Each structure stands twice: as structure tokens, then as C-alpha cells.
Amino acid sequence: MSPSFLFPQTQSTVLPDPSTYFSPNLLSSPLPTNSFFQNFVIPNGTQPEYFHPYHIQASNSSLSASYPFLFFTAAVLYQVFVPDLTISASQTTSYGQNRVISSYSDLGVTLDIPSSNLRFFLVRGSPFITASVTKPTSLSIKTVHTILSLSSYDGNTKFIIQLNNTQTWLIYTSSPIYLNHVPSEVTSKPFSGIIRIAALPDSNPSNVATLDKFSSCYPVSGDAALSKPFRLEYKWQKKRSGDLLMLAHPLHAKLLSRDCNVTVLHDFKYRSVDGDLVGVVGDSWVLETDPIPVTWHSKKGINKESFGEIVSALYKDVKGLNSSATTTNSSYFYGKLVGRAARLALIAEEVSYYKVIPKIRKFLKETIEPWLDGTFKGNGFLYERKWRGLVTEQGSTDSTADFGFGIYNDHHFHLGYFLYGIAVLAKIDPAWGKKFKPQAYSLATDFMNLGQRYNSDYPRLRCFDLYKLHSWASGLTEFEDGRNQESTSEAVNAYYAAALMGLAYGDSRLVDTGSTLLALEIRATQTWWHVKAEDNLYEEEFAKDNRIVGILWANKRDSKLWWATAECRECRLSIQVLPLLPVTETLFSDTVYTKELVEWTLPSLKNKTNVEGWKGFTYALQGIYDKSTALKQIRRLTGFDDGNSFSNLLWWIHSR
């Protein structure tokens, strides 16, 4: 990475105080702002988080676990949190003590509940909830259901609890424990050591033997290393003897490398909102995805006979560039204007219309530079030290400004557009690129830092989730269903733009990191946002009515958007397509699915006049399988999305 540049420092008035639930030793480092355990460290801290396969809720005295049921309608799929089991000390001490995160890793978090002498190792994808009881303590395990039976085995180190809601739970301990029960609580005599609790999937007796076999060895944390391009390696820190059993979601199952020494237990499954989770035995996994070449221009190129139409559109679009006429000071909408202009430069290169490039270069310099040198009037990037990262001037005093950028919302979306413009400008004007390289890298590092070793000003991979294999957009807001992301295509743009910036600066490591995250984001989008009935991933009723997810949450799938109803199908399609780029072809490489999506959307465009921008993206996808119809439709459009242009749509159709 380039020498670090820090934007001017600010004190945010809207960010929560991280010291409430992080242990003091963690506060001197950058803290995660879009993580899988974010609900645990936001001031209220009462909402659960989903850890695959359990929904976990923490309090200052207890931890509640739910093996959630999936509810679905034609509009939404979600898991309901019910505190199936709540674990605490029978008598808690010193109520003033907060629960606290004492450590975290890519794949897990350690939660301490001092008032109950409990330390939980919450590792994602573990079929067991594991706790260390740090000194002799009488435990309480309460349930909202009725306990039908409690049976003990193996010299009081294994117990089976049957509840009246059809659930069966197993408890394993590192040494004998003495348990009693009343209708909705199990209590113990003082115990210290390791306790592990697991729901029995499908209440199937053959799964008991599997849980028995892997009940000893437990994970305390897990790291995910981007060791080589298009390859991700999981390594768990584990304790006690035996083999480690973890669970893989459907995308893991597709990407598990033949090289890695693991055993997949195809018949051992937990249900999940993300599809079935299957057992995988092994201390480390290797995940490999197909390489995605990152290119400035279209893959197939454009026939010479199409140059004329694109050139005349470029002439008009470039003529309209005027930085002094820009009315927005929103980091998002401003970024889209920068990205739109940068596309014009690359299209001009592709159709050999070089004479417009100086004007585009001038526009890009005039629009990007003020954000990098702090002279932009009314907004700009600043650095805050509480959580450590970039905020905008407006976002530092208003949590709703810039779509919540100041509370770490949507960072990759906004910064991705700026990086795209910077990459193109550095390509066509290397001297400018060199001058502003430290600022450019600061924007990239805000959401793409690989860790403390590389840069200690920003947290590791702010938005990208190394277990789910896609990004989250929502930052420091407490949500009942955890983190969420709406626009996958803007996430794709962010990693694509970073890889292009790596190309512009001759930085192979940035190209590799950007390309790898890009490839994973695309695979995750195709797995969870692109709804294909034949995948059987979603319930039939939801799959029948939806061809694309609007907002995907850790714990829910929603057909609506933040800014539009589920009925606005063209809105849903467009927000998962924009901005239109060479890499869009890879994102929508499944032509059969793309045609289904377009045909599902087209009726929603009928008799609507104010949706020209959205029509453009629908016809762009139509161009993948029906170029001539799409071209006719695009030529009739009277307006375009603020990040798109007539030139860009023509470039797309003619490069099919």
C-alpha cells in the first residue's frame, strides 16, 4: 500500500461510544463497523445476531440461543428469534458489569459475561454453542417451552433435553455436571469447565452419533486468509482433542476446493435462511472461485460499423459535462457523476474517439480533486478516531446525511464510485495519479484494508463478510435482522474499481485483492440475490413471486427496497444492475436467468412515463439475449439514470 494519507480529523457528534461493550484493550485499534456481531456492540445491544445455525441474543447476565424456524410469504422470508434456551449463572454477581467483547476474528467473537462467570466462543458455522465456565458456578438454563424430559449419559457429561416444541437439545461438558429440572428450567450444582450445547437437527437420532463424535474439539476463533488470487483459506483455532466439525452454507459447498483435506457430511444438515448448512470435518478449508479478469473495456469489443452511433452520442454527452453546473454535494450522488464521466473516457478509448478525452479529463480533475484536497464546498472526507475511518463533513453531525455515511453506512458504494473515477483519471493522466496517490489509497483502504499489518488507520475489510462471502452495507445501526445490503452491483463496482486502480498504479496486490473480493461478491449475488426456482434455495411461494431480492439481511430476505415498494420491479432490477460496466456481463452471465428477470420486470414498465432511467437498465439486460429489440428501446429513451448515459447504453448493446 502507498504511504498512508489521513484526511483532516474530526470529532463526530453522531457516532456511538464503542467503549460500552468492547474490552479496553481493543479500543486502541480500528473497530469493525459492519460486522456479523455488530448488534452486540451498539449502545442498546439488545437485538440478536445470526451465527449459522443459531440466533444469539446477549444481555449483561445471560445468553439466549434460538434454533430459528423459517417463516415465509410471497414477499418476505425470515427467521424468528425465540429464546429456546437462556444460559446464565443461577445467581449473578455485580449487576453493574457489562457483558463485553474480549476478542474477535474473521469467523468468530468471544463474548464475556462476567456477572455469570461465562465466556462464550461464538464461532460462525459451529453446530455447538460453546462456553467456558471460568470458576465454580451454579448454572441456570431456562426455556420458554416446557421440558418434557432430561436424560443423562456418559457419567453425567452428556444430557439430552426434549422440549414440547418438538426440539431436542444436547449438552456436553468437559467433566461431570449435576443437573436438575423443573418444567422450564435446568439448574446445576457448581461447575467449572467447558459446556457445549447443540440443537439436534430434524430431531433425527442418527445425528446424535455425529454430535457425540465431535463434541470434544471446539473452535475459539477463525481466520480467513486471502492467500492467493481467487482463493480463501479458513483456519480455526481449536481446543481439546478430536476433529473439528463446522457447517458450510451452499456457496461454501460450491467453492470447497478438492485440494483441502476435509470430509463433507452430506446427510448432517441444519436449516437456515441461507439454505441448508452441511457438516464439514477439518481444521482448515480452502475455497476457490473462478478467476475474473478485470478489464477496462468490454470483453468482446465493438464492431467498427457501430462506432458512428456511439461517437455521436459521446459528442453530446461530453459536451454536456460542466463541473460548475454540479448541484449536488452528496457523496453518493456526486460519486455517481464522477463514475458516469469516467465511463465516457473509457468508451471514447474503445471507439477511438480520442479527441473528447481532454475535456473528460478536465471534468474529472475539477470534480475529484476538491474531495481529495479538502476544498470542496459544503462537504468532504474527514477522518474520525472513535471507530477509525472516513466520514463526510455532513455525516459527522447528521446521521442521516449522505445515506448514513457518517455512521459507516454504504462506504463501499460511495467510495467505489470515487475510486472508479480516480482509476480512470490515473490511467489517462499518470502525473495526476501520482500526485494524489496517497489520498486515493486512503479511500480504498477505508473499506479494503487487509488488516493491522498493512494499515493501522482502518479496520480489516470494513464491508466484506468473510463467512457469507459478500458485503454488508449497513453500519452502526441496530437492526432486528442484523446487517443488510440492497445494491449488490454497487458492491461489485467497489471491488472492480479498486482492482482497476491497482492496474492504473501497477499495484498487483491491489489488483489481486480487488479481483478476489469481486469474484466472491458476484458468486454470492448469484447465489442469494438472483432468485432461481430450480435452485430450491428459497421457499416455493417466495421463489414464484420474486426473481431478485430487494434487501438481503443476515436473517431475512425482503422483496421491497429502502426507497421503493416490492411492486416496483424495475427499481429492484435497476438497483442490482447499476452502474453498467464491463463486469456487469460476468454478474449476469446466466442468460436463462437474465431473460426470466427481464420478462418478470417488463410488465411493470407499462404505461409509466417517469421511469426512463430504470427502463435503461431493464433494456440493457434484455440486450444480453435480444440485442435488436433492446437497441430499439434504448434509442427511444428520453432520459437516463444520473450515473448512466446514452453513450454507455449504446456501448453496452453494441458490445454484446
Side-chain angles (χ1 to χ4, degrees), residues 201-218:
D202 303 327
S203 296
N204 179 345
S206 67
N207 289 328
V208 175
T210 305
L211 290 168
D212 286 353
K213 184 177 176 183
F214 299 103
S215 61
S216 170
C217 176
Y218 65 92

Side-chain angles (χ1 to χ4, degrees), residues 500-536:
L500 289 180
M501 196 170 99
L503 287 179
Y505 283 119
D507 179 347
S508 60
R509 214 188 54 132
L510 184 56
V511 175
D512 289 347
T513 306
S515 306
T516 302
L517 296 175
L518 168 68
L520 293 169
E521 190 84 42
I522 286 175
R523 287 300 296 268
T525 301
Q526 292 169 339
T527 302
W528 287 299
W529 273 264
H530 294 181
V531 182
K532 303 168 192 176
E534 67 276 9
D535 283 0
N536 296 323

Side-chain angles (χ1 to χ4, degrees), residues 2-3 5 365 369-370 372-373 422 425-426 429-441 505:
S2 171
F5 170 86
K365 277 186 180 180
E369 256 178 56
L372 301 186
D373 66 15
I422 289 167
L425 189 47
D429 189 341
W432 182 93
K434 197 172 174 190
K435 181 180 174 186
F436 286 100
K437 186 177 180 184
Q439 289 90 330
Y441 270 76
Y505 283 119

